[in-house]
Amino acid sequence: VPVFADSNVVMYADLYGEPLRDQFRVLLGLSEVYYPMLSKELADQEIPVDLMHLPMALSALNSQAASVNGRGGLWMLTYPVALRYGLTVTAEVDERHDDVRSTKAAVRYLKDLHTRYQDWGLTIMAFACGPANVTRAQQRTGGATDYRTLYPHFTEGEQEVLPLLMAFVHLYAQREQLDLDPIAVDPREAADTLTCGRAINLATVAQVMQLPLARMQALNPTYCAGYIPE
């Protein structure tokens, strides 16, 4: 990943390196779960494995993440991108929250963006903040191609992604020197897969099984309407 440092990067590095160090240690714990799968998918498509850091900055490695501008999942894919790369996104089912399927879609999208831009810096910016942001920023800067020049010209809600990514790449690389040992996290648990011939309410299943509803939702992250469709 091409890296840069400015005042915003330093601010995030200081923030997660000290007052929020436990939150970053949790991210390191999550990275031990997700990074093997992410790096394998990236390597299989001949994409630099350092791009496995992107979901850490985009979603905090939370497969159930969602944003006010319509992004969702580990890679915070938009609705149009998800559909274009074969994911189901309806009022009932959102496969952006499926770690494996969303990663396969995201990796294909990264590959297509790199074919378009022929530059990993521009590819990362277009993926994380949208190609429209990159185009507008280039128009405002006379065709610049580097992070540091372009990202201040992104829309307000997208400006923090790049410095946050740079800070996380730095902290991850320096984690041993900074004594940032991971806090063990296991976001997944062993579960059987059952099918049902009719729609079934998740809250009902949770009540019968005497499990918290939030745990049932975490086990079934692609079902976003509170029930499992027929």
Side-chain angles (χ1 to χ4, degrees):
V1 176
V3 295
F4 73 92
D6 65 5
S7 59
N8 287 326
V9 176
V10 172
M11 177 190 71
Y12 282 121
D14 288 345
L15 183 65
Y16 284 93
E18 192 50 51
L20 298 183
R21 69 184 285 115
D22 282 349
Q23 282 90 327
F24 189 73
R25 291 174 61 213
V26 170
L27 289 178
L28 289 176
L30 285 166
S31 74
E32 293 183 340
V33 177
Y34 286 112
Y35 276 12
M37 183 268 289
L38 300 180
S39 60
K40 181 182 184 303
E41 291 292 339
L42 290 164
D44 285 349
Q45 294 297 320
E46 299 180 339
I47 293 176
V49 294
D50 279 353
L51 270 67
M52 67 186 178
H53 296 302
L54 261 174
M56 184 183 284
L58 291 168
S59 68
L61 293 171
N62 177 9
S63 62
Q64 298 185 65
S67 72
V68 294
N69 60 3
R71 293 175 175 265
L74 203 64
W75 293 86
M76 296 300 278
L77 298 175
T78 64
Y79 175 77
V81 168
L83 293 188
R84 193 185 317 152
Y85 289 90
L87 299 181
T88 298
V89 182
T90 67
E92 296 143 349
V93 177
D94 190 341
E95 290 185 335
R96 293 178 296 178
H97 300 290
D98 182 304
D99 299 340
V100 175
R101 291 182 182 179
S102 65
T103 295
K104 290 182 182 295
V107 168
R108 287 168 53 211
Y109 183 38
L110 279 167
K111 194 165 188 174
D112 289 347
L113 285 173
H114 187 255
T115 299
R116 172 179 173 179
Y117 290 105
Q118 296 296 307
D119 178 271
W120 283 114
L122 288 173
T123 296
I124 290 168
M125 285 187 282
F127 183 96
C129 306
N133 260 317
V134 174
T135 300
R136 283 194 298 266
Q138 286 186 309
Q139 290 170 346
R140 293 167 183 164
T141 57
T145 60
D146 63 291
Y147 291 139
R148 189 197 297 263
T149 303
L150 290 175
Y151 91 88
H153 298 276
F154 291 170
T155 52
E156 186 175 346
E158 309 288 358
Q159 286 179 3
E160 67 177 14
V161 175
L162 271 299
L164 191 60
L165 173 63
M166 297 298 102
F168 284 170
V169 168
H170 164 72
L171 291 172
Y172 185 86
Q174 301 295 321
R175 61 193 184 280
E176 293 183 2
Q177 294 89 323
L178 297 172
D179 291 325
L180 290 167
D181 53 312
I183 294 176
V185 179
D186 187 4
R188 301 175 181 145
E189 60 179 300
D192 288 332
T193 298
L194 307 176
T195 58
C196 186
R198 59 182 176 82
I200 186 167
N201 193 298
L202 272 178
T204 303
V205 179
Q207 184 177 11
V208 169
M209 296 186 69
Q210 298 182 358
L211 293 173
L213 177 58
R215 188 172 172 193
M216 288 300 302
Q217 291 169 329
L219 284 165
N220 298 274
T222 60
Y223 300 123
C224 50
Y227 69 92
I228 302 170
E230 184 178 333

